């Protein structure tokens, strides 16, 4: 098969743009599934608690990233990293393991709030760590 003009460039753009949302999707799906398996199927309130936990963690991490709770400045371009940095083994895997631990430490209703919070916070923090390590290795190698 020959590479159509621009196909590979378009594929690179699509995968680069999808890397973080893809990792977050697998993290939230796995965390919700794990919590439902451990705690039981959620009711509406528990689903809403998962959302509240996730949204709260996101806002807190974003405030920490920008150093303010005010209007954040423009996002900086992500560093160039090797493809393996988008594997999400550390970020998604670590987040799901932490959700599993939270599920075993917290009661049923509270576990849903914690699962959303832990899944989001851990994914973002571990993803940033994994990207920073990969970028540092790419720059020094």
């Amino acid at each position: 098969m020959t590479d159509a003009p621009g196909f590979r460039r378009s594929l690179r753009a699509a995968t680069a743009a999808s890397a973080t949302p893809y990792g977050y999707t697998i993290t939230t799906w796995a965390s919700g599934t794990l919590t439902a398996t451990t705690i039981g199927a959620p009711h509406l309130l528990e689903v809403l608690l998962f959302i509240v936990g996730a949204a709260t963690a996101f806002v807190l991490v974003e405030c920490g990233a920008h150093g303010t709770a005010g209007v954040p400045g423009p996002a900086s371009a992500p560093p160039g990293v090797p493809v393996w940095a988008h594997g999400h083994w550390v970020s998604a895997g670590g987040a799901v393991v932490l959700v599993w631990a939270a599920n075993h430490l917290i009661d049923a209703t509270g576990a849903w709030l914690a699962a959303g919070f832990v899944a989001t916070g851990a994914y973002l923090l571990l993803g940033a760590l994994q990207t920073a390590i990969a970028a540092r290795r790419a720059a020094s190698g």
Side-chain angles (χ1 to χ4, degrees):
M1 175 173 132
T2 61
D3 188 24
F7 175 76
R8 186 167 284 179
R9 183 179 63 230
S10 296
L11 186 58
R12 282 193 299 262
T15 56
S18 299
T20 299
Y22 170 75
Y24 187 58
T25 298
I26 61 176
T27 300
T28 54
W29 181 88
S31 296
T33 301
L34 178 64
T35 303
T37 302
T38 305
I39 306 299
H43 298 286
L44 177 60
L45 173 63
E46 292 163 330
V47 170
L48 294 173
L49 286 172
F50 186 92
I51 292 168
V52 167
T56 301
F58 189 92
V59 168
L60 289 174
V61 172
E62 186 174 27
C63 286
H66 291 281
T68 180
V71 177
S76 57
V81 295
V83 172
W84 66 262
H86 294 158
H88 305 292
W89 298 286
V90 173
S91 55
V96 170
V97 168
L98 291 172
V99 167
W100 175 87
N103 288 342
H104 287 86
L105 295 172
I106 301 169
D107 75 356
T109 299
W112 285 100
L113 179 69
F117 186 88
V118 170
T120 299
Y123 172 75
L124 292 171
L125 295 171
L126 291 172
L129 177 64
Q130 183 174 330
T131 300
I133 290 168
R136 182 174 293 156
R137 286 189 179 168
S140 68

